[in-house]
Amino acid sequence: MTASSPRAPFTLAGAVTGARLALPLLPGIIVFATAFGAAASQKGLDVWQTMALSAFVFAGAAQMVALEIWRDSWTVASAVGVTMLTMTINARMILMGAAIQPWMAGTPKTASAVTLFLLTDASWLVGMRHRAGGGNDVAVLTGSGVTLWVTWVAATLPGYLAGAFVENPEAFGLDLVMPVFFAAMLAPLWRGVGPAVPWAVAGIVALAVQQLFEGYIFIIVGALAGAATGALRRDRS
């Protein structure tokens, strides 16, 4: 029997470090949250609905996609459709959670719950880069998550209020904020061509399906193609 790994620390200093590491990301988060607020206003959502989405859902990409298929009156079919779509978009959180599970093992339940509620692509990348550099304080995830959450919620409101003055957010390139942000954050995590193959397959398949079929089926098909490619490469290795 092997000895269990020591529990990673969870300290205030780590949370402060996480908040500091998240600061360079805030301009992009502000622009994206503002764009969401503006889009929600144009869709006819009330301010409290918009703020609740940002505060309790806290999933930028899923929130944007849900807005695109938002209905004034909902049926069971439309509710199931938006649920399945957002579940597919956020399914990556399963893998992200699995990646940090060994690191978070032993963290107090309350701290784990808060950290996982605040977990996003951005805070996950901040934490993984911190750990790859030799850090081990789990509170880095929490500190970055809190900083991003507060910024996201706060920036949603001015976007909502300005929604009437921005007829087409895409015309300002706001839809490119998150792709550019992710590319910049992932670049330092590059581990060679091999590990990037599943991502490339997912992207190519998604683009191809998007050209052939209407709707958001391309998200599901691209994700499945990438997952299958990753599984096949792992089996061969």
Side-chain angles (χ1 to χ4, degrees):
M1 179 180 298
T2 59
S4 59
S5 301
R7 188 179 74 181
F10 188 94
T11 67
L12 178 59
V16 172
T17 297
R20 176 178 56 80
L21 293 174
L23 291 179
L25 311 179
L26 298 190
I29 296 297
I30 290 171
V31 173
F32 192 41
T34 302
F36 167 73
S41 175
Q42 294 161 11
K43 280 289 185 177
L45 272 69
D46 294 334
V47 65
W48 70 267
Q49 293 174 319
T50 304
M51 298 303 292
L53 273 172
S54 283
F56 297 109
V57 178
F58 189 41
Q63 288 177 222
M64 281 293 199
V65 171
L67 277 184
E68 293 190 32
I69 57 177
W70 194 265
R71 300 289 185 269
D72 292 330
S73 59
W74 289 88
T75 64
V76 173
S78 59
V80 170
V82 72
T83 299
M84 294 302 297
L85 183 58
T86 53
M87 283 178 58
T88 301
I89 294 172
N90 289 328
R92 67 191 187 282
M93 295 294 177
I94 298 174
L95 298 178
M96 290 164 59
I100 63 175
Q101 191 280 331
W103 184 17
M104 293 187 65
T107 302
K109 292 183 178 180
T110 300
S112 294
V114 172
T115 301
L116 292 176
F117 170 75
L118 296 171
L119 185 66
T120 62
D121 304 84
S123 59
W124 182 83
L125 286 168
V126 166
M128 295 303 288
R129 289 183 63 180
H130 170 74
R131 198 176 187 207
N136 196 38
D137 197 321
V138 176
V140 167
L141 285 169
T142 314
S144 60
V146 169
T147 302
L148 296 169
W149 180 83
V150 170
T151 304
W152 176 263
V153 175
T156 298
L157 182 58
Y160 181 91
L161 298 176
F165 302 99
V166 184
E167 296 182 357
N168 184 14
E170 289 80 4
F172 295 90
L174 300 184
D175 55 328
L176 296 177
V177 171
M178 292 309 284
V180 171
F181 155 70
F182 289 137
M185 285 296 294
L186 287 171
L189 297 177
W190 176 259
R191 294 294 182 269
V193 175
V197 169
W199 292 13
V201 170
I204 293 170
V205 170
L207 287 173
V209 173
Q210 184 184 35
Q211 297 300 315
L212 296 174
F213 301 96
E214 295 183 356
Y216 294 91
I217 188 67
F218 71 93
I219 296 176
I220 298 174
V221 176
L224 292 175
T229 303
L232 289 173
R233 287 184 56 82
R234 185 175 180 83
D235 288 343
R236 290 178 180 178
S237 62

